[in-house]
Amino acid sequence: MTTNLLDQERIELQAKAFEVGDLENELQRQANELETLRNSTKKEMEQLREEHALEIRDLLNELAYQEGLNATIQKELSTSRHKTSLLSTTLADARNQTNDNYSLLRNERCKTTRARSSIKATETILLACELDIRAAEEQLQALQAANEQLAATIKALDNRTSKENLQISDARGRAPKVTSNAIAKAKAKALTFKLTKGGVYTPQAHALGRKLESHGRSQEFVGVAIQDVCKAAGVKCDRRMSRRTVGRAIGEGVVAAKV
């Protein structure tokens, strides 16, 4: 039984050996095919390298050109950035200047508004002045008409004055004679100022006594003052007003004033 097992294992080993031989042959065949494929690929690569060498060189030249162009662009970009920085500074200055100009513009607008208001007020004043001038012209016309009328009146008065001057001249010629006649008549007729009527002092006498007393004469000398005035005027006074009468006249005046 052990021999059978060994034979069976031997047979299996032989079978596996055949399989391994087949595998080695297959591997050798595949290795040969791979070598053939490698050689073919190498040839194709060399052909492709030869075929694309010019294209690669052109690409390298293009790459070098692009690198130079990129360097130029970088330089220009740096210059542009510097210019942009300068422009930013200039823009900031321009903004500040714009703000200053806006402030100036706002101030000028305020001045313009005030000037317009002043002009409007001036126009109003001018309009009022024109109205005043028109009114003054109308008044001037009225005054001119009045002056013309006044001139006519003055002319008429001159004519009338001339006539009156002639009459005055005639009257002056007659005046000495008329005056002498009047003086003669006055002397011929004795004038008397009567303080009483029917034994009673007249209201005019009382008023005269109050008047003299109010002008600083004492009540005692009012009667004397009346006589002196009458004497100076060439008029006789019928009696002297007493101090008591003057006081009574003043009292009557106070009562009359209260009523």
Side-chain angles (χ1 to χ4, degrees), residues 233-245:
V235 178
K236 293 181 180 181
C237 185
D238 60 347
R239 64 175 63 193
R240 178 186 295 179
M241 185 179 290
S242 66
R243 180 176 179 276
R244 182 181 296 175
T245 302

Side-chain angles (χ1 to χ4, degrees), residues 2 31 37 63 73 131 137 190 197 222 238 256:
T2 303
L37 182 61
L63 181 61
I73 291 173
L131 295 176
E137 289 177 351
K197 186 176 182 181
V222 168
D238 60 347

Side-chain angles (χ1 to χ4, degrees), residues 91-132:
L91 181 60
D93 295 337
R95 285 177 179 173
N96 294 329
Q97 185 65 33
T98 301
N99 292 330
D100 295 338
N101 291 334
Y102 178 74
S103 298
L104 293 174
L105 178 61
R106 185 172 57 187
N107 293 331
E108 291 299 326
R109 284 178 178 174
C110 293
K111 291 180 181 179
T112 303
T113 302
R114 289 194 295 269
R116 286 178 179 175
S117 300
S118 179
I119 290 171
K120 188 174 181 180
T122 304
E123 289 177 350
T124 304
I125 293 172
L126 288 176
L127 181 60
C129 289
E130 289 179 357
L131 295 176
D132 292 339

Side-chain angles (χ1 to χ4, degrees), residues 206-222 225 246-247 250:
H206 284 177
L208 181 59
R210 288 194 297 272
K211 193 75 172 177
L212 291 172
E213 193 274 338
S214 66
H215 282 79
R217 280 287 180 179
S218 65
Q219 296 180 8
E220 185 176 356
F221 292 100
V222 168
V246 174
I250 293 171

Side-chain angles (χ1 to χ4, degrees), residues 136-153:
E137 289 177 351
E138 293 177 356
Q139 291 179 359
L140 180 61
Q141 292 177 357
L143 288 174
Q144 288 176 351
N147 286 334
E148 292 176 357
Q149 185 177 1
L150 182 60
T153 304

Side-chain angles (χ1 to χ4, degrees), residues 10-47:
R10 189 182 296 114
I11 292 169
E12 290 178 357
L13 289 172
Q14 289 177 355
K16 289 181 179 180
F18 287 132
E19 290 178 359
V20 169
D22 293 335
L23 288 173
E24 288 178 353
N25 293 329
E26 182 66 23
L27 288 173
Q28 185 64 37
R29 186 181 63 78
Q30 290 180 359
N32 293 331
E33 290 179 356
L34 182 60
E35 184 66 22
T36 302
L37 182 61
R38 183 180 295 170
N39 293 329
S40 177
T41 302
K42 186 176 181 180
K43 290 180 180 180
E44 290 178 357
M45 288 293 293
E46 289 177 355
Q47 290 177 357

